[in-house]
Amino acid sequence: MSTRPTALVTGASRGVGAATARALAATHDVLLGGRDADALAALAAELPGATAWPVELTAVTAADVATISSLDVLVHSAGVARLGTLAESTAQQWRETLEVNVVAVAELTRLLLPALRAVGGHVVLVNSGAGITANAGWGSYAASKFALRALADALRAEETGLRVTSVHPGRVDTDMQRAVVAHEGGAYDGSRFLTADSVAAAVLAAVLAGPDAHLTELVLRPTGR
């Protein structure tokens, strides 16, 4: 049986989630959470101590986490970006965005609180610059990220035995960002954005901070270099 600490990363099939799982695998046994079972299995085969944990995060139940008795790190990286002006955004778009970006995060955290409490664990929420500033055309997404920041603040105040970190990256070179730029009608240039590895490094810095350090919020902006 492994004596290494355990981390669960959602959205681990690609992008920031996959990069974070790779970064944590050096020091943790990682549960790879997400919907794409094949992609998760492929990543698990690359990483020592990693296990695929395929699950629909918007429908997670107590049965899905029944075997997780202790959890040192929970990284919420899964999310969706549905863009549009308020005039264009339907109630269904709002519901889908909030369901994935907020409700699913809250419910998985709630279900895993006993496992986190057992070891004084750490919850990391990969948020966004949109969780600090809301811009035109980003209403439902920004609202979900403001709510995610509030969730983190409330969790930190309520669960004083845990560490809770919000990470707010600017634009990141991922498939999601390609879709965003296409929606905006621009030409894609990933070199202008953060890499997923840079965001993962920020998550790792928060996780590996000494026991006397509680990094509550990290903001990353691309240098464009």
Side-chain angles (χ1 to χ4, degrees):
M1 178 179 291
S2 174
T3 59
R4 301 203 307 169
T6 300
L8 191 162
V9 181
T10 70
S13 61
R14 59 180 183 170
V16 171
T20 299
R22 289 188 174 98
L24 286 169
T27 52
H28 292 68
D29 290 334
V30 185
L31 291 170
L32 307 170
R35 289 183 295 180
D36 190 335
D38 290 340
L40 297 175
L43 182 58
E46 294 178 24
L47 305 177
T51 304
W53 191 65
V55 67
E56 173 51 64
L57 292 169
T58 59
V60 69
T61 68
D64 293 314
V65 303
T67 60
I68 305 174
S69 58
S70 66
L71 186 63
D72 297 272
V73 179
L74 171 59
V75 180
H76 292 287
S77 183
V80 296
R82 307 280 190 257
L83 305 186
T85 65
L86 295 178
E88 297 167 338
S89 302
T90 65
Q92 184 61 27
Q93 176 179 316
W94 278 86
R95 292 188 184 101
E96 289 176 355
T97 299
L98 292 168
E99 185 70 26
V100 175
N101 292 356
V102 185
V103 178
V105 173
E107 179 63 0
L108 181 59
T109 303
R110 184 185 72 84
L111 291 171
L112 287 171
L113 275 177
L116 289 160
R117 289 168 177 159
V119 289
H122 192 163
V123 180
V124 181
L125 301 100
V126 179
N127 199 298
S128 166
I132 298 173
T133 303
N135 294 314
W138 292 68
S140 62
Y141 180 73
S144 74
K145 293 301 186 177
F146 269 69
L148 188 64
R149 186 181 183 188
L151 189 161
D153 291 346
L155 180 64
R156 191 181 304 111
E158 293 171 2
E159 298 290 334
T160 56
L162 306 182
R163 293 195 290 181
V164 181
T165 303
S166 288
V167 179
H168 295 268
R171 295 194 177 214
V172 186
D173 182 17
T174 61
D175 291 341
M176 179 185 288
Q177 195 61 233
R178 288 182 180 275
V180 167
V181 173
H183 173 85
E184 294 173 331
Y188 191 82
D189 180 3
S191 67
R192 297 168 46 225
F193 307 141
L194 293 161
T195 67
D197 287 340
S198 290
V199 181
V203 173
L204 191 64
V207 170
L208 297 183
D212 60 324
H214 186 169
L215 280 67
T216 58
E217 289 193 324
L218 297 174
V219 179
L220 292 80
R221 292 289 179 265
T223 62
R225 294 182 295 182

